[in-house]
Amino acid sequence: MKLIIINGPNLNLLGKREPEVYGSTTFEDYFVQLQQKFPQVELEYFQSNIEGELIGKIQEVGFAHDGIVLNAASYTHTSVGIGDAVKAVNTPVVEVHISNTHKREDFRHVSYISSGAKGVILGFGLQSYDLAIQSFLG
């Protein structure tokens, strides 16, 4: 099984950015833990702060991978383009958020990705990614 985790803007700052919301672990460190926990899965990771690069990566892998775990971060609430890319590809997408976006500002209650996603997991910290990977395993 081949899965890719795609992270959006500011998630490269995990471990430093708002640790009370996002924790103190870097995503790179957590990614190593995921690879160890799921040795049967070929896991890839991509992060960008640029909307077009995220769309390009979704299009690039969206017909060849078995699944995409997508945390589009703030673009979730603003990017029709990312939402359209999710709907345009064959690969199922699980939308992930570290925080419970419904407990945050009102604008974070809207997702342009959810309507095209296989499912949505939010509010479980970094474990949200773990749960998303498990959803592809059956």
Side-chain angles (χ1 to χ4, degrees):
M1 174 161 291
K2 190 173 186 177
L3 303 177
I4 186 168
I5 296 170
I6 300 176
N7 275 345
N10 300 309
L11 291 170
N12 56 308
L13 297 177
L14 286 177
K16 299 174 190 166
R17 172 189 178 209
E18 300 177 83
E20 67 282 359
V21 175
Y22 299 105
S24 58
T25 303
T26 68
F27 195 80
E28 290 74 15
D29 288 343
Y30 185 66
F31 185 69
V32 170
Q33 293 174 28
L34 289 173
Q35 289 175 307
Q36 292 170 348
K37 182 170 184 175
F38 299 102
Q40 74 278 29
V41 177
E42 184 180 338
L43 277 175
E44 297 176 27
Y45 172 57
F46 178 80
Q47 188 278 328
S48 179
N49 294 317
I50 302 170
E51 182 178 18
E53 289 181 1
L54 296 169
I55 292 168
K57 183 55 82 171
I58 292 166
Q59 292 176 356
E60 175 189 326
V61 303
F63 297 94
H65 283 56
D66 297 302
I68 298 170
V69 177
L70 175 62
N71 184 344
S74 59
Y75 286 139
T76 300
H77 321 292
T78 63
S79 179
V80 173
I82 293 175
D84 285 349
V86 167
K87 291 176 184 171
V89 299
N90 294 337
T91 298
V93 175
V94 173
E95 178 184 348
V96 164
H97 298 283
I98 296 168
S99 67
N100 180 348
T101 57
H102 297 287
K103 290 178 100 177
R104 298 182 67 192
E105 305 93 337
D106 286 346
F107 76 88
R108 294 186 196 273
H109 300 178
V110 174
S111 169
Y112 287 101
I113 295 166
S114 295
S115 65
K118 168 186 168 183
V120 180
I121 300 170
L122 53 88
F124 293 97
L126 289 176
Q127 188 184 5
S128 296
Y129 293 93
D130 184 310
L131 296 169
I133 292 168
Q134 289 181 43
S135 77
F136 287 107
L137 298 178

PDB file of all heavy atoms in Angstrom, residues 2 4 16 18 30 40 42 45-46 49-50 59 62 65 69 71-72 76 88 90 95 102 107 114 127-128 136 138:
ATOM      1  N   LYS A   2       0.532   2.186  -0.825  1.00  0.00           N
ATOM      2  CA  LYS A   2       1.319   3.409  -0.966  1.00  0.00           C
ATOM      3  C   LYS A   2       0.449   4.613  -0.611  1.00  0.00           C
ATOM      4  O   LYS A   2      -0.550   4.889  -1.276  1.00  0.00           O
ATOM      5  CB  LYS A   2       1.821   3.524  -2.404  1.00  0.00           C
ATOM      6  CG  LYS A   2       2.825   4.604  -2.633  1.00  0.00           C
ATOM      7  CD  LYS A   2       3.379   4.507  -4.057  1.00  0.00           C
ATOM      8  CE  LYS A   2       4.494   5.488  -4.254  1.00  0.00           C
ATOM      9  NZ  LYS A   2       5.081   5.353  -5.601  1.00  0.00           N
ATOM     10  N   ILE A   4       0.463   8.838   0.850  1.00  0.00           N
ATOM     11  CA  ILE A   4       1.228  10.068   1.008  1.00  0.00           C
ATOM     12  C   ILE A   4       0.505  10.987   1.982  1.00  0.00           C
ATOM     13  O   ILE A   4      -0.727  11.085   1.945  1.00  0.00           O
ATOM     14  CB  ILE A   4       1.478  10.786  -0.328  1.00  0.00           C
ATOM     15  CG1 ILE A   4       2.410  12.005  -0.120  1.00  0.00           C
ATOM     16  CG2 ILE A   4       0.183  11.151  -1.026  1.00  0.00           C
ATOM     17  CD1 ILE A   4       2.957  12.604  -1.402  1.00  0.00           C
ATOM     18  N   LYS A  16       7.292  24.041  17.153  1.00  0.00           N
ATOM     19  CA  LYS A  16       7.659  25.412  17.533  1.00  0.00           C
ATOM     20  C   LYS A  16       6.432  26.317  17.606  1.00  0.00           C
ATOM     21  O   LYS A  16       6.349  27.185  18.443  1.00  0.00           O
ATOM     22  CB  LYS A  16       8.625  26.010  16.496  1.00  0.00           C
ATOM     23  CG  LYS A  16       9.910  25.265  16.347  1.00  0.00           C
ATOM     24  CD  LYS A  16      10.717  25.844  15.198  1.00  0.00           C
ATOM     25  CE  LYS A  16      11.904  24.950  14.882  1.00  0.00           C
ATOM     26  NZ  LYS A  16      12.515  25.267  13.620  1.00  0.00           N
ATOM     27  N   GLU A  18       2.812  27.524  18.338  1.00  0.00           N
ATOM     28  CA  GLU A  18       1.678  27.338  19.247  1.00  0.00           C
ATOM     29  C   GLU A  18       1.636  25.934  19.861  1.00  0.00           C
ATOM     30  O   GLU A  18       0.697  25.176  19.620  1.00  0.00           O
ATOM     31  CB  GLU A  18       0.364  27.619  18.520  1.00  0.00           C
ATOM     32  CG  GLU A  18       0.233  29.022  17.967  1.00  0.00           C
ATOM     33  CD  GLU A  18      -1.060  29.203  17.189  1.00  0.00           C
ATOM     34  OE1 GLU A  18      -2.092  29.465  17.834  1.00  0.00           O
ATOM     35  OE2 GLU A  18      -1.027  29.055  15.956  1.00  0.00           O
ATOM     36  N   TYR A  30       7.566  12.855  14.063  1.00  0.00           N
ATOM     37  CA  TYR A  30       6.351  12.040  14.099  1.00  0.00           C
ATOM     38  C   TYR A  30       6.265  11.131  12.874  1.00  0.00           C
ATOM     39  O   TYR A  30       5.820   9.976  12.982  1.00  0.00           O
ATOM     40  CB  TYR A  30       5.115  12.938  14.194  1.00  0.00           C
ATOM     41  CG  TYR A  30       3.847  12.151  14.353  1.00  0.00           C
ATOM     42  CD1 TYR A  30       3.602  11.402  15.499  1.00  0.00           C
ATOM     43  CD2 TYR A  30       2.892  12.129  13.348  1.00  0.00           C
ATOM     44  CE1 TYR A  30       2.443  10.650  15.641  1.00  0.00           C
ATOM     45  CE2 TYR A  30       1.731  11.391  13.492  1.00  0.00           C
ATOM     46  CZ  TYR A  30       1.511  10.649  14.628  1.00  0.00           C
ATOM     47  OH  TYR A  30       0.363   9.910  14.760  1.00  0.00           O
ATOM     48  N   GLN A  40       4.249  -1.952   6.865  1.00  0.00           N
ATOM     49  CA  GLN A  40       3.630  -2.557   5.686  1.00  0.00           C
ATOM     50  C   GLN A  40       3.156  -1.508   4.681  1.00  0.00           C
ATOM     51  O   GLN A  40       2.737  -1.846   3.581  1.00  0.00           O
ATOM     52  CB  GLN A  40       2.460  -3.456   6.109  1.00  0.00           C
ATOM     53  CG  GLN A  40       1.197  -2.719   6.564  1.00  0.00           C
ATOM     54  CD  GLN A  40       1.204  -2.235   8.013  1.00  0.00           C
ATOM     55  OE1 GLN A  40       2.232  -1.935   8.592  1.00  0.00           O
ATOM     56  NE2 GLN A  40       0.015  -2.141   8.595  1.00  0.00           N
ATOM     57  N   GLU A  42       3.999   1.895   2.398  1.00  0.00           N
ATOM     58  CA  GLU A  42       5.004   2.796   1.837  1.00  0.00           C
ATOM     59  C   GLU A  42       4.484   4.218   2.036  1.00  0.00           C
ATOM     60  O   GLU A  42       3.545   4.647   1.364  1.00  0.00           O
ATOM     61  CB  GLU A  42       5.215   2.506   0.358  1.00  0.00           C
ATOM     62  CG  GLU A  42       6.306   3.336  -0.274  1.00  0.00           C
ATOM     63  CD  GLU A  42       6.492   3.034  -1.750  1.00  0.00           C
ATOM     64  OE1 GLU A  42       6.104   1.935  -2.200  1.00  0.00           O
ATOM     65  OE2 GLU A  42       7.027   3.916  -2.448  1.00  0.00           O
ATOM     66  N   TYR A  45       5.913  11.768   2.357  1.00  0.00           N
ATOM     67  CA  TYR A  45       5.527  13.015   3.021  1.00  0.00           C
ATOM     68  C   TYR A  45       5.894  14.199   2.137  1.00  0.00           C
ATOM     69  O   TYR A  45       6.980  14.243   1.557  1.00  0.00           O
ATOM     70  CB  TYR A  45       6.224  13.118   4.377  1.00  0.00           C
ATOM     71  CG  TYR A  45       6.047  14.455   5.067  1.00  0.00           C
ATOM     72  CD1 TYR A  45       4.780  14.953   5.337  1.00  0.00           C
ATOM     73  CD2 TYR A  45       7.139  15.214   5.450  1.00  0.00           C
ATOM     74  CE1 TYR A  45       4.610  16.176   5.969  1.00  0.00           C
ATOM     75  CE2 TYR A  45       6.985  16.432   6.094  1.00  0.00           C
ATOM     76  CZ  TYR A  45       5.715  16.901   6.345  1.00  0.00           C
ATOM     77  OH  TYR A  45       5.553  18.107   6.966  1.00  0.00           O
ATOM     78  N   PHE A  46       4.962  15.152   2.047  1.00  0.00           N
ATOM     79  CA  PHE A  46       5.181  16.385   1.301  1.00  0.00           C
ATOM     80  C   PHE A  46       4.553  17.530   2.072  1.00  0.00           C
ATOM     81  O   PHE A  46       3.433  17.399   2.572  1.00  0.00           O
ATOM     82  CB  PHE A  46       4.531  16.290  -0.093  1.00  0.00           C
ATOM     83  CG  PHE A  46       4.658  17.542  -0.910  1.00  0.00           C
ATOM     84  CD1 PHE A  46       5.833  17.829  -1.578  1.00  0.00           C
ATOM     85  CD2 PHE A  46       3.595  18.433  -1.002  1.00  0.00           C
ATOM     86  CE1 PHE A  46       5.953  18.993  -2.329  1.00  0.00           C
ATOM     87  CE2 PHE A  46       3.705  19.591  -1.747  1.00  0.00           C
ATOM     88  CZ  PHE A  46       4.894  19.874  -2.415  1.00  0.00           C
ATOM     89  N   ASN A  49       4.016  25.500   1.785  1.00  0.00           N
ATOM     90  CA  ASN A  49       3.264  26.682   2.194  1.00  0.00           C
ATOM     91  C   ASN A  49       2.562  27.334   1.004  1.00  0.00           C
ATOM     92  O   ASN A  49       1.905  28.355   1.169  1.00  0.00           O
ATOM     93  CB  ASN A  49       4.206  27.693   2.850  1.00  0.00           C
ATOM     94  CG  ASN A  49       4.779  27.174   4.150  1.00  0.00           C
ATOM     95  OD1 ASN A  49       4.072  26.589   4.947  1.00  0.00           O
ATOM     96  ND2 ASN A  49       6.063  27.382   4.359  1.00  0.00           N
ATOM     97  N   ILE A  50       2.711  26.738  -0.180  1.00  0.00           N
ATOM     98  CA  ILE A  50       2.224  27.344  -1.422  1.00  0.00           C
ATOM     99  C   ILE A  50       1.051  26.535  -1.968  1.00  0.00           C
ATOM    100  O   ILE A  50       1.171  25.341  -2.267  1.00  0.00           O
ATOM    101  CB  ILE A  50       3.365  27.431  -2.453  1.00  0.00           C
ATOM    102  CG1 ILE A  50       4.518  28.260  -1.871  1.00  0.00           C
ATOM    103  CG2 ILE A  50       2.873  28.004  -3.764  1.00  0.00           C
ATOM    104  CD1 ILE A  50       5.791  28.224  -2.678  1.00  0.00           C
ATOM    105  N   GLN A  59      -2.516  16.375  -7.759  1.00  0.00           N
ATOM    106  CA  GLN A  59      -2.694  15.908  -9.138  1.00  0.00           C
ATOM    107  C   GLN A  59      -1.639  14.874  -9.519  1.00  0.00           C
ATOM    108  O   GLN A  59      -1.933  13.895 -10.204  1.00  0.00           O
ATOM    109  CB  GLN A  59      -2.640  17.089 -10.102  1.00  0.00           C
ATOM    110  CG  GLN A  59      -3.820  18.016  -9.975  1.00  0.00           C
ATOM    111  CD  GLN A  59      -3.699  19.236 -10.867  1.00  0.00           C
ATOM    112  OE1 GLN A  59      -2.690  19.453 -11.542  1.00  0.00           O
ATOM    113  NE2 GLN A  59      -4.739  20.060 -10.867  1.00  0.00           N
ATOM    114  N   GLY A  62      -2.471  11.622  -7.392  1.00  0.00           N
ATOM    115  CA  GLY A  62      -3.883  11.297  -7.271  1.00  0.00           C
ATOM    116  C   GLY A  62      -4.426  10.228  -8.187  1.00  0.00           C
ATOM    117  O   GLY A  62      -5.628   9.940  -8.165  1.00  0.00           O
ATOM    118  N   HIS A  65      -1.360   6.594  -6.221  1.00  0.00           N
ATOM    119  CA  HIS A  65      -1.258   6.162  -4.825  1.00  0.00           C
ATOM    120  C   HIS A  65      -2.571   5.520  -4.367  1.00  0.00           C
ATOM    121  O   HIS A  65      -3.626   5.723  -4.967  1.00  0.00           O
ATOM    122  CB  HIS A  65      -0.928   7.359  -3.926  1.00  0.00           C
ATOM    123  CG  HIS A  65       0.500   7.789  -3.990  1.00  0.00           C
ATOM    124  ND1 HIS A  65       1.122   8.138  -5.159  1.00  0.00           N
ATOM    125  CD2 HIS A  65       1.429   7.923  -3.021  1.00  0.00           C
ATOM    126  CE1 HIS A  65       2.373   8.468  -4.913  1.00  0.00           C
ATOM    127  NE2 HIS A  65       2.590   8.343  -3.619  1.00  0.00           N
ATOM    128  N   VAL A  69      -3.445  11.411   2.711  1.00  0.00           N
ATOM    129  CA  VAL A  69      -3.815  12.007   3.990  1.00  0.00           C
ATOM    130  C   VAL A  69      -3.485  13.487   3.854  1.00  0.00           C
ATOM    131  O   VAL A  69      -2.321  13.848   3.700  1.00  0.00           O
ATOM    132  CB  VAL A  69      -3.041  11.366   5.161  1.00  0.00           C
ATOM    133  CG1 VAL A  69      -3.381  12.057   6.473  1.00  0.00           C
ATOM    134  CG2 VAL A  69      -3.338   9.866   5.238  1.00  0.00           C
ATOM    135  N   ASN A  71      -3.697  17.390   5.185  1.00  0.00           N
ATOM    136  CA  ASN A  71      -3.947  18.467   6.133  1.00  0.00           C
ATOM    137  C   ASN A  71      -3.599  19.752   5.391  1.00  0.00           C
ATOM    138  O   ASN A  71      -2.445  20.171   5.359  1.00  0.00           O
ATOM    139  CB  ASN A  71      -3.105  18.318   7.395  1.00  0.00           C
ATOM    140  CG  ASN A  71      -3.426  19.376   8.430  1.00  0.00           C
ATOM    141  OD1 ASN A  71      -4.051  20.385   8.130  1.00  0.00           O
ATOM    142  ND2 ASN A  71      -2.988  19.158   9.657  1.00  0.00           N
ATOM    143  N   ALA A  72      -4.595  20.354   4.782  1.00  0.00           N
ATOM    144  CA  ALA A  72      -4.374  21.569   4.002  1.00  0.00           C
ATOM    145  C   ALA A  72      -4.249  22.802   4.898  1.00  0.00           C
ATOM    146  O   ALA A  72      -4.089  23.915   4.407  1.00  0.00           O
ATOM    147  CB  ALA A  72      -5.499  21.755   2.986  1.00  0.00           C
ATOM    148  N   THR A  76      -7.655  24.828   3.929  1.00  0.00           N
ATOM    149  CA  THR A  76      -8.904  24.080   4.044  1.00  0.00           C
ATOM    150  C   THR A  76     -10.102  25.011   3.959  1.00  0.00           C
ATOM    151  O   THR A  76     -11.121  24.684   3.358  1.00  0.00           O
ATOM    152  CB  THR A  76      -8.951  23.349   5.408  1.00  0.00           C
ATOM    153  OG1 THR A  76      -7.849  22.466   5.488  1.00  0.00           O
ATOM    154  CG2 THR A  76     -10.249  22.601   5.605  1.00  0.00           C
ATOM    155  N   ALA A  88     -11.039  15.906  -8.273  1.00  0.00           N
ATOM    156  CA  ALA A  88     -10.622  15.573  -9.634  1.00  0.00           C
ATOM    157  C   ALA A  88      -9.820  14.283  -9.733  1.00  0.00           C
ATOM    158  O   ALA A  88      -9.706  13.712 -10.816  1.00  0.00           O
ATOM    159  CB  ALA A  88      -9.798  16.724 -10.219  1.00  0.00           C
ATOM    160  N   ASN A  90      -8.602  10.224  -8.604  1.00  0.00           N
ATOM    161  CA  ASN A  90      -9.225   8.943  -8.250  1.00  0.00           C
ATOM    162  C   ASN A  90      -8.844   8.454  -6.859  1.00  0.00           C
ATOM    163  O   ASN A  90      -9.566   7.680  -6.248  1.00  0.00           O
ATOM    164  CB  ASN A  90      -8.807   7.856  -9.251  1.00  0.00           C
ATOM    165  CG  ASN A  90      -9.353   8.121 -10.634  1.00  0.00           C
ATOM    166  OD1 ASN A  90     -10.342   8.819 -10.794  1.00  0.00           O
ATOM    167  ND2 ASN A  90      -8.704   7.568 -11.638  1.00  0.00           N
ATOM    168  N   GLU A  95      -9.206  13.887   4.956  1.00  0.00           N
ATOM    169  CA  GLU A  95      -8.880  15.223   5.470  1.00  0.00           C
ATOM    170  C   GLU A  95      -8.555  15.106   6.951  1.00  0.00           C
ATOM    171  O   GLU A  95      -9.297  14.486   7.705  1.00  0.00           O
ATOM    172  CB  GLU A  95     -10.078  16.154   5.267  1.00  0.00           C
ATOM    173  CG  GLU A  95      -9.878  17.537   5.802  1.00  0.00           C
ATOM    174  CD  GLU A  95     -11.117  18.409   5.663  1.00  0.00           C
ATOM    175  OE1 GLU A  95     -12.077  18.026   4.951  1.00  0.00           O
ATOM    176  OE2 GLU A  95     -11.145  19.477   6.296  1.00  0.00           O
ATOM    177  N   HIS A 102     -13.678  22.938  14.928  1.00  0.00           N
ATOM    178  CA  HIS A 102     -15.003  23.440  15.331  1.00  0.00           C
ATOM    179  C   HIS A 102     -14.987  24.119  16.691  1.00  0.00           C
ATOM    180  O   HIS A 102     -15.963  24.761  17.077  1.00  0.00           O
ATOM    181  CB  HIS A 102     -16.023  22.305  15.300  1.00  0.00           C
ATOM    182  CG  HIS A 102     -16.204  21.757  13.932  1.00  0.00           C
ATOM    183  ND1 HIS A 102     -16.876  22.419  12.935  1.00  0.00           N
ATOM    184  CD2 HIS A 102     -15.750  20.605  13.375  1.00  0.00           C
ATOM    185  CE1 HIS A 102     -16.849  21.708  11.831  1.00  0.00           C
ATOM    186  NE2 HIS A 102     -16.169  20.609  12.063  1.00  0.00           N
ATOM    187  N   PHE A 107     -14.475  30.959  11.025  1.00  0.00           N
ATOM    188  CA  PHE A 107     -14.064  30.702   9.642  1.00  0.00           C
ATOM    189  C   PHE A 107     -13.458  29.307   9.486  1.00  0.00           C
ATOM    190  O   PHE A 107     -13.463  28.749   8.393  1.00  0.00           O
ATOM    191  CB  PHE A 107     -13.102  31.786   9.131  1.00  0.00           C
ATOM    192  CG  PHE A 107     -11.687  31.682   9.654  1.00  0.00           C
ATOM    193  CD1 PHE A 107     -10.742  30.905   8.994  1.00  0.00           C
ATOM    194  CD2 PHE A 107     -11.300  32.379  10.789  1.00  0.00           C
ATOM    195  CE1 PHE A 107      -9.442  30.823   9.458  1.00  0.00           C
ATOM    196  CE2 PHE A 107      -9.997  32.300  11.264  1.00  0.00           C
ATOM    197  CZ  PHE A 107      -9.067  31.514  10.603  1.00  0.00           C
ATOM    198  N   SER A 114     -13.827  18.811   2.534  1.00  0.00           N
ATOM    199  CA  SER A 114     -14.648  17.729   3.104  1.00  0.00           C
ATOM    200  C   SER A 114     -15.594  17.080   2.104  1.00  0.00           C
ATOM    201  O   SER A 114     -15.765  15.855   2.120  1.00  0.00           O
ATOM    202  CB  SER A 114     -15.459  18.247   4.292  1.00  0.00           C
ATOM    203  OG  SER A 114     -14.623  18.636   5.335  1.00  0.00           O
ATOM    204  N   GLN A 127      -2.141  12.263  16.441  1.00  0.00           N
ATOM    205  CA  GLN A 127      -2.764  10.947  16.276  1.00  0.00           C
ATOM    206  C   GLN A 127      -3.817  10.958  15.164  1.00  0.00           C
ATOM    207  O   GLN A 127      -4.170   9.900  14.643  1.00  0.00           O
ATOM    208  CB  GLN A 127      -3.380  10.475  17.591  1.00  0.00           C
ATOM    209  CG  GLN A 127      -3.855   9.045  17.528  1.00  0.00           C
ATOM    210  CD  GLN A 127      -4.555   8.588  18.800  1.00  0.00           C
ATOM    211  OE1 GLN A 127      -4.771   9.373  19.724  1.00  0.00           O
ATOM    212  NE2 GLN A 127      -4.909   7.332  18.857  1.00  0.00           N
ATOM    213  N   SER A 128      -4.280  12.127  14.766  1.00  0.00           N
ATOM    214  CA  SER A 128      -5.223  12.207  13.644  1.00  0.00           C
ATOM    215  C   SER A 128      -4.638  11.560  12.390  1.00  0.00           C
ATOM    216  O   SER A 128      -5.354  10.918  11.620  1.00  0.00           O
ATOM    217  CB  SER A 128      -5.594  13.664  13.365  1.00  0.00           C
ATOM    218  OG  SER A 128      -6.287  14.231  14.458  1.00  0.00           O
ATOM    219  N   PHE A 136      -7.259   3.508   5.870  1.00  0.00           N
ATOM    220  CA  PHE A 136      -6.941   2.901   4.576  1.00  0.00           C
ATOM    221  C   PHE A 136      -6.607   1.425   4.708  1.00  0.00           C
ATOM    222  O   PHE A 136      -6.635   0.695   3.720  1.00  0.00           O
ATOM    223  CB  PHE A 136      -5.752   3.623   3.924  1.00  0.00           C
ATOM    224  CG  PHE A 136      -6.098   4.985   3.401  1.00  0.00           C
ATOM    225  CD1 PHE A 136      -5.653   6.121   4.059  1.00  0.00           C
ATOM    226  CD2 PHE A 136      -6.857   5.140   2.256  1.00  0.00           C
ATOM    227  CE1 PHE A 136      -5.966   7.386   3.578  1.00  0.00           C
ATOM    228  CE2 PHE A 136      -7.174   6.391   1.770  1.00  0.00           C
ATOM    229  CZ  PHE A 136      -6.727   7.517   2.429  1.00  0.00           C
ATOM    230  N   GLY A 138      -8.248  -0.794   6.476  1.00  0.00           N
ATOM    231  CA  GLY A 138      -9.363  -1.681   6.539  1.00  0.00           C
ATOM    232  C   GLY A 138     -10.178  -1.653   7.744  1.00  0.00           C
ATOM    233  O   GLY A 138     -11.019  -2.334   8.079  1.00  0.00           O
TER     234      GLY A 138
END
